[in-house]
Each structure stands twice: as structure tokens, then as C-alpha cells.
Amino acid sequence: MASYNYKDKTVIITGGGSGIGEALSKKFASSGANVHILDFQLEKTQEVVDEVLEKGGRAQVHQCDVSNQEQVKEIVQGIASKNSLDILINNAGIAHVGNIEGTSESDMDKLYQVNIKGVYNCIYACIPKMKEQGNGVVLNMASIASTVGISDRFAYSMTKGAVLTMTYSIAKDYIDHGIRCNSISPARVHTPFVDNFISKNYPGEEKEMFEKLSKTQPIGRMAKPDEIASLALYLCSDEASFITGTDFPIDGGFIKLNG
């Protein structure tokens, strides 16, 4: 595996307490980064932090609702007052299953608050410090649903489409300030969310449904969170300094090979 040195880098990761976020937190910490995790679930995220600390890494959790701009700004300013602010990874997000008829106004509002406003709030809070430094990296977690139609994912697809276009806008507006912005678009990733979704909706059929969902990926399986984190580690590194304004599908061939 490629090795990247993040020894003098401060990384903010939202939703870093489980799934892809947990993999991101551990991956960056093991590469020397000073990791600050913004997560609503304090207890679970503290377990991730404790594991990082036990292995000699640096990590800290900040309980945060990313949809609350004042809360985000206060936390980011506190971090930036003591450290450089090198990397922001917008990973926090929520999912929803349903077409437009199965999407209530409250569903739509909830997804907007976290998946769109949450990303906006974090970038908004971090950009001034990055401009002052003359450098910085923003990495947004989008989805293949940003660009292709997926059944029963109306609201989720809409919000991830917004994340994708935010990525392009930030990259364009701040390239002259030394700030890069890219996104990653995963297909289905095997996380606790997937297991919980299957057990809740298909009790007694968990194994069959897991195999069925896995086979919707042309490569024949779901991605592992660590595979997403490895791509993120590269995209945020100095080795990727020529890359900005780009979305990276990591999808087991879903976009190009399906259909």
C-alpha cells in the first residue's frame, strides 16, 4: 500500500465515528495526521478516538450537528486557533429510501439539512482559514447517485447531486487561493448502515438480500470502507496536488458496466 506522510497536517472529518468515516479517521491518524472528528454520536465516536490513541495516533471528537452553522463555526474556529487547517473531509450524511411519492416534506427537509446544508456549513467555516494559509484541501463524499438514476433514492440522489456541484464550484472559486476540492462517489459500501437496513427490512432473509445487493455491483461485491479511505488518503495528499474539480467514482464498475 502506498504510504503518505500527514505528520504536520490537521484533518477535520465529519461523521467519522462509523462506516466510511471510521475508516477515514483511522487511516489518516495512522498516517500521522492530527484528526478532529465532528460527529453527532459522541459515545461511538469516542470509541474510535480511543482506538486511535491506543495505537499512538492523534484524534479528538467534537460532538456536532453539522446542520447547525453556529456550532460548526465555533468548533472549527477553536481547531483553527491552535492548528493549521489543512484538510476538510465532508463525510457526514444520511440516507433515504423512496421515490418522490414516498418522500415526505419532513424527509426532504431532514436530508437537506444534513447532506447539503451540513456540507455547506463545514466548507463555509473552513474556507477563511484555508485562504489565510494559502492552501487547503476539501474532499466531499458524493455518491454514484449524483450522476446516475437509482430506483427509490429520489431525495438522497438530489442531495448528493448538490454535493457534486458544490465540489465543482468550490474548486473553481478557490483555485487561485491554493485550495483544492474533489469528491468521491462510492457505489454500495458494506457498512453497519447496510446491515441494519437489511435486518430491519428483510428479517430472516439477511444472507440472501446481502448477496443480492452485492451482485448489483458488476464486480460482484460491495466496497469495503477501507477502500474508500485509501482513495481519500491519496486525494488529500501532496502527491495529488495537480488534481482539483474532479469526481472519482469508486463503484466496482457500476456506472460504466451496468446495462
Side-chain angles (χ1 to χ4, degrees), residues 3-259:
S3 177
Y4 302 104
N5 184 3
Y6 282 87
K7 183 178 179 181
D8 299 320
K9 304 290 187 180
T10 297
V11 182
I12 293 177
I13 301 173
T14 70
S18 64
I20 295 172
E22 179 178 352
L24 288 166
S25 299
K26 292 177 179 178
K27 182 80 70 176
F28 277 86
S30 67
S31 298
N34 178 20
V35 176
H36 290 264
I37 306 172
L38 275 58
D39 201 299
F40 190 71
Q41 296 181 326
L42 184 61
E43 186 175 343
K44 176 65 177 74
T45 308
Q46 187 61 52
E47 292 176 5
V48 175
V49 169
D50 290 343
E51 186 175 338
V52 167
L53 297 176
E54 287 171 8
K55 294 181 178 179
R58 293 180 293 167
Q60 183 176 345
V61 58
H62 307 265
Q63 190 169 27
C64 181
D65 175 2
V66 294
S67 70
N68 185 320
Q69 186 173 100
E70 288 307 310
Q71 195 175 102
V72 172
K73 286 169 63 178
E74 182 179 352
I75 292 170
V76 169
Q77 287 169 4
I79 296 169
S81 68
K82 301 175 183 178
N83 308 273
S84 60
L85 210 170
D86 303 290
I87 298 159
L88 166 66
I89 303 179
N90 282 304
N91 171 73
I94 57 176
H96 178 264
V97 178
N99 59 21
I100 192 168
E101 294 173 285
T103 304
S104 67
E105 184 177 12
S106 62
D107 291 333
M108 181 65 78
D109 288 344
K110 185 177 181 181
L111 265 75
Y112 168 81
Q113 288 292 323
V114 177
N115 292 5
I116 298 178
K117 189 181 177 188
V119 174
Y120 154 76
N121 283 341
C122 293
I123 299 175
Y124 185 82
C126 290
I127 282 290
K129 177 70 172 181
M130 290 181 173
K131 282 180 64 178
E132 179 186 313
Q133 296 170 173
N135 60 75
V137 178
V138 177
L139 182 65
N140 297 324
M141 203 60 62
S143 166
I144 57 167
S146 304
T147 53
V148 298
I150 298 177
S151 300
D152 288 329
R153 296 295 188 277
F154 170 75
Y156 179 76
S157 299
M158 179 273 295
T159 60
K160 289 301 184 178
V163 170
L164 183 61
T165 52
M166 274 193 277
T167 298
Y168 298 150
S169 293
I170 296 299
K172 183 86 169 180
D173 289 341
Y174 294 97
I175 192 168
D176 291 338
H177 296 278
I179 299 170
R180 299 190 295 113
C181 186
N182 295 296
S183 58
I184 294 175
S185 285
R188 188 166 277 117
V189 182
H190 187 196
T191 64
F193 172 83
V194 171
D195 291 334
N196 292 337
F197 173 80
I198 293 174
S199 62
K200 179 181 177 181
N201 292 277
Y202 304 96
E205 303 176 57
E206 288 87 352
K207 184 179 179 181
E208 294 81 354
M209 281 308 302
F210 182 82
E211 291 177 356
K212 182 177 179 180
L213 292 174
S214 297
K215 289 176 181 177
T216 62
Q217 319 303 304
I219 207 168
R221 66 172 178 87
M222 299 185 197
K224 302 171 186 176
D226 197 61
E227 292 174 308
I228 312 302
S230 293
L231 177 56
L233 198 71
Y234 167 66
L235 290 175
C236 294
S237 72
D238 293 338
E239 285 82 352
S241 62
F242 200 61
I243 303 174
T244 192
T246 304
D247 179 59
F248 288 81
I250 179 166
D251 65 352
F254 188 92
I255 293 176
K256 296 295 186 182
L257 303 182
N258 253 335

